[in-house]
Amino acid sequence: MPVVHTYCSAPISESARVALKAVYGHAIEAVPGKSEAWLMCLFEDDAHIYFAGDDSEPSVLVDVSVFSRGEVPASAWERFTEEVTPVISRELGVDPTRVYLRYGWTPSFGWNGANF
């Protein structure tokens, strides 16, 4: 049950959403047991984001969370970051120094009226 939520202070075009969805779908495979088959992607553009107290340049926050009974290895998140950052930067026109990725996991996840 991976979820990737992208917040961007600039508009996100349909083509950018499609490109990001594709890279997220591939990159999530870095997390043991995860694949695009259960991936949910959310996109929010025109978000009010201040980075270092400044909103004059576009910024992005990508929040990644997964269902897992144990902690996800740091190497999985490192691989995800390396794979998606160049695509985020290119597709959204955001300098990589203004992109944050936040990772988390939870042992509880609800789907189809019940919890895992």
Side-chain angles (χ1 to χ4, degrees):
M1 306 307 189
V3 177
V4 179
H5 196 156
T6 304
Y7 303 87
C8 182
S9 61
I12 303 174
S13 69
E14 181 178 353
S15 63
R17 285 193 310 270
V18 170
L20 291 171
K21 176 199 71 71
V23 75
Y24 295 158
H26 183 266
I28 202 65
E29 293 175 2
V31 180
K34 303 305 172 197
S35 72
E36 187 176 25
W38 289 93
L39 177 62
M40 182 179 282
C41 297
L42 297 88
F43 296 93
E44 292 190 43
D45 58 3
D46 296 319
H48 300 284
I49 301 175
Y50 289 82
F51 184 87
D54 176 29
D55 70 346
S56 65
E57 298 290 327
S59 297
V60 172
L61 168 66
V62 178
D63 194 5
V64 183
S65 57
V66 297
F67 167 70
S68 180
R69 296 285 186 210
E71 190 168 343
V72 176
S75 61
W77 298 138
E78 290 168 12
R79 192 169 132 209
F80 190 95
T81 298
E82 290 170 358
E83 191 168 334
V84 304
T85 299
V87 180
I88 292 167
S89 180
R90 180 184 71 238
E91 292 296 327
L92 300 180
V94 177
D95 189 291
T97 63
R98 296 184 68 90
V99 175
Y100 272 2
L101 290 100
R102 177 174 53 188
Y103 298 105
W105 60 275
T106 180
S108 301
F109 213 97
W111 172 72
N112 197 24
N115 286 349
F116 287 96

